[in-house]
Every structure is written in C-alpha cells, then in structure tokens.
Amino acid sequence: MMRTLFDRDDLPPLDRLAALNELFVTSEHPMGILGREAEAFRASVRTVDLAAVNVVELKVSSSHVLRTPRMIRQADPELICVAMASTGKLVMSQAGREAVLEATDIALYDSSRPFGLQLGAGGEAATMLRAHIPKALLGQPDDRIERLLARPLSGQAGFAGMLVHFLRSLTTGSAAYRPDDLSRLARIAGDLLMAFVAHHLDAETALSEESRKRTLLLSIEAFVQQHLHDPDLSPRVIAAAHHLSLGYLHRLFSARDTTVAAWIRRLRLEGARRDLRDPESREVTVHRIAVRWGFKDHSTFTRTFHAAYGMSPRDYRHSAPRTVPR
C-alpha cells in the first residue's frame, strides 16, 4: 500500500541529494533540502494517499528542509501538516517558535507560512512521519491554528497517541491492509487529524485569559531584551513579531501604568547607566554606550538621560562611584 517515491542508492551521494531536492521543489508545496554531510547523503521516501490525507515516511541523513516565501508564492495548497520524529531528533521552526521533537512528540506546521525542519538535529540519520490535510477540512480559523504551530505536543496518550499509533501502523504494517481498506483508512486518518487538532485547540481555549496574557507578556519581555540594542525596535515591530494588533499590545501594558515605548526607554537607560558606572567600560565612549543600548544618536541619548537622572551621561560617569550597581 505504501509506494516508494525515492530510493536512489544507485546514485552518488551528491546526486542523491540533488535528486531529492528536485523531488521536493516540484512537490505540491515546494520545499528545498540541504544535506549537512552531502558527500555521505542517503534518503528514502515512501507515501500513501488516503483521499484528502497524505502520509509520508522520510528516512534521511542529517539535513535541513526549508520552505521559503518564494516557494509559498510558487504553490500553496493550504495544508496543515503533522510531523513526528520516529527516530532521531526533529527541530521544527515556524511562526517565531521552535519545537524540538523526540520520539512520539508531534508538532504542526502550516504550508502557507515559511518554515524549517532540521532532521537528525544531533547529526544522526532520522526518520520522520508526516501527514497533511487541507486546512479547510479542519473547520478552524487561521488565528486559532496559529497557536499550535511549532509547539511540541506529546504523542503518548489521547488522540495524539492514537494518531501516532495509526501513522506507524501504516508504515510498518501496511501489508495487513487490502486495497479496499483504503477508503476506511482515509476516514480514520481524516477523523483522527481533525480530532487531534480540535482537542488541542479546545485545551488552548480552556486556558484563562489572564494566564494567556502572562505567557504573552513573558514572551514579549524576552523578545525586547534580545533586541534592545536594535534602534528600530518599536511597539509596531513587537506587535508584528507576536502577531498582535498594535492596539492589543498597548492594552496589555496599560495594566502596568506605562506605555511600551516608555518601558523600552527605561530598560535602555538602565543598561546605559550600568555601563557608565562599570569600571570595565571606563574607556568606552559615551557615544558607543548609547549605540550599544539602541539610541539612534548622541543628542537624543543625552537629552533622555538628563530628563531621567537630572544630569548628563558624562557628568553622571564622573560623579558616580566606580562600582557596578546591583
């Protein structure tokens, strides 16, 4: 029942990689593949079509699969794909998140968004099972599905456990099925995928609004700390990175009696103030410290610093104790 799409041990390793890349690039949702050790590359691809659901088993040397914005423009059948690592480690990246999957872990990706898959992330060969289904059949809006993308979900129990068992049975025990079982398997595959997604979305909805806000604020705080040096960091950039409206971002911060811009400015000033008092930064110019903390020009930094601390950065450096504040 499973049919082989690719198994080219007759080709030299570099030609195998090029041939598999050609297969991926010309698929219904084009992707590219890069081999980490192309000179020893090996791969096999088996698949079974179950009406709206397509199941693929990919055994491959350590490699990286990418779907770029250009490939999405080339062709997008608007699929939701469920992937699991049967052997080796799989790392999935999409929607600003990264999921590390060990055996029986599951994660979703959306064919309409750029994504990356590291197969055999530890350098070993890996086996990935993937099933995809049209988004339209799930009956869920994109903004709800987005919450699940690239999140590691346990495949050991419930609908996830049944889905893992089903996918494995297709690839390891397909000889037990007859051709006239395909329609039955198609119904099971579709029902399991829809139930799996709906179950996890319901669990997301069950989280309290307050809990979601706390989680979102922690994510925003981590993002800002990571990009604080970037002078283009702004509320609009933060909102876009977290798929939020600008208005919702401002409402999140209203409970803190501050604005997003004021909060960013305070973090930058505190960082610059620490550097000005740090003996190890004594030889670093005030201008370089300003740039380090994301201020676009020296005059803006000086004016903002004076408004916050009542003196210029240069005067503060000379008057402050030569210790690093705690």
Side-chain angles (χ1 to χ4, degrees):
M1 186 173 59
M2 295 286 292
R3 59 189 177 93
T4 300
L5 283 182
F6 185 91
D7 190 0
R8 297 300 306 271
D9 280 355
D10 58 314
L11 293 175
L14 290 176
D15 291 345
R16 291 175 204 155
L17 178 58
L20 184 59
N21 185 66
E22 178 66 19
L23 177 68
F24 282 4
V25 167
T26 57
S27 68
E28 64 175 330
H29 60 301
M31 298 171 283
I33 183 167
L34 304 170
R36 296 179 65 176
E37 296 181 0
E39 65 278 2
F41 187 80
R42 300 188 68 177
S44 69
V45 183
R46 296 194 302 154
T47 184
V48 59
D49 288 313
L50 301 173
V53 178
N54 173 263
V55 179
V56 169
E57 177 197 65
L58 172 63
K59 294 182 177 180
V60 67
S61 301
S62 181
S63 51
H64 196 179
V65 175
L66 291 171
R67 180 158 163 81
T68 64
R70 181 178 179 181
M71 292 171 174
I72 293 170
R73 292 192 297 270
Q74 179 183 334
D76 181 24
E78 298 188 348
L79 303 170
I80 288 297
C81 306
V82 176
M84 59 171 282
S86 186
T87 63
K89 181 188 294 183
L90 170 65
V91 179
M92 178 187 296
S93 304
Q94 189 172 62
R97 293 187 287 269
E98 185 175 272
V100 179
L101 308 181
E102 306 285 355
T104 75
D105 290 336
I106 298 179
L108 279 67
Y109 68 87
D110 184 342
S111 72
S112 302
R113 293 170 174 260
F115 65 79
L117 294 171
Q118 294 181 46
L119 298 155
E124 72 284 5
T127 302
M128 181 184 77
L129 296 180
R130 187 215 69 198
H132 68 230
I133 186 170
K135 280 190 278 187
L137 292 183
L138 295 175
Q140 302 285 352
D142 284 354
D143 61 337
R144 290 199 74 207
I145 293 176
E146 190 275 338
R147 300 173 191 170
L148 296 183
L149 300 180
R151 293 191 183 279
L153 305 169
S154 173
Q156 296 185 351
F159 288 115
M162 288 190 282
L163 181 60
V164 168
H165 178 76
F166 176 78
L167 294 177
R168 284 181 169 168
S169 73
L170 287 177
T171 58
T172 61
S174 61
Y177 301 112
R178 300 190 303 272
D180 55 2
D181 286 327
L182 281 175
S183 61
R184 303 180 185 98
L185 290 170
R187 286 194 297 273
I188 294 170
D191 287 346
L192 274 176
L193 282 168
M194 288 186 281
F196 167 73
V197 172
H199 169 79
H200 282 284
L201 286 176
D202 288 345
E204 280 278 313
T205 303
L207 288 173
S208 71
E209 180 66 19
E210 208 52 46
S211 175
R212 280 199 296 273
K213 285 182 179 179
R214 285 196 299 271
T215 302
L216 185 55
L217 281 168
L218 287 173
S219 176
I220 290 169
E221 288 173 359
F223 179 86
V224 168
Q225 291 287 357
Q226 184 179 358
H227 295 87
L228 205 54
H229 67 281
D230 184 351
D232 293 324
L233 179 68
S234 68
R236 192 172 299 279
V237 169
I238 297 167
H242 291 82
H243 309 289
L244 305 173
S245 71
L246 194 56
Y248 185 75
L249 177 66
H250 287 311
R251 287 195 296 277
L252 277 175
F253 276 79
S254 63
R256 296 186 168 190
D257 295 324
T258 188
T259 65
V260 183
W263 175 60
I264 293 172
R265 184 168 58 249
R266 178 172 60 80
L267 291 177
R268 285 173 166 163
L269 284 170
E270 288 176 354
R273 186 170 65 93
R274 286 195 300 271
D275 282 357
L276 289 169
R277 294 183 65 180
D278 184 355
E280 294 186 4
S281 297
R282 188 177 305 177
E283 303 303 320
V284 180
T285 65
V286 172
H287 174 70
R288 283 187 60 191
I289 289 175
V291 171
R292 177 188 295 170
W293 289 101
F295 289 93
K296 289 188 174 183
D297 57 75
H298 183 73
S299 60
T300 299
F301 172 58
T302 299
R303 185 171 60 254
T304 306
F305 192 95
H306 192 283
Y309 302 115
M311 65 179 71
S312 70
R314 191 176 304 278
D315 290 343
Y316 181 85
R317 165 177 266 177
H318 292 313
S319 65
R322 292 295 183 181
T323 58
V324 182
R326 293 180 180 271

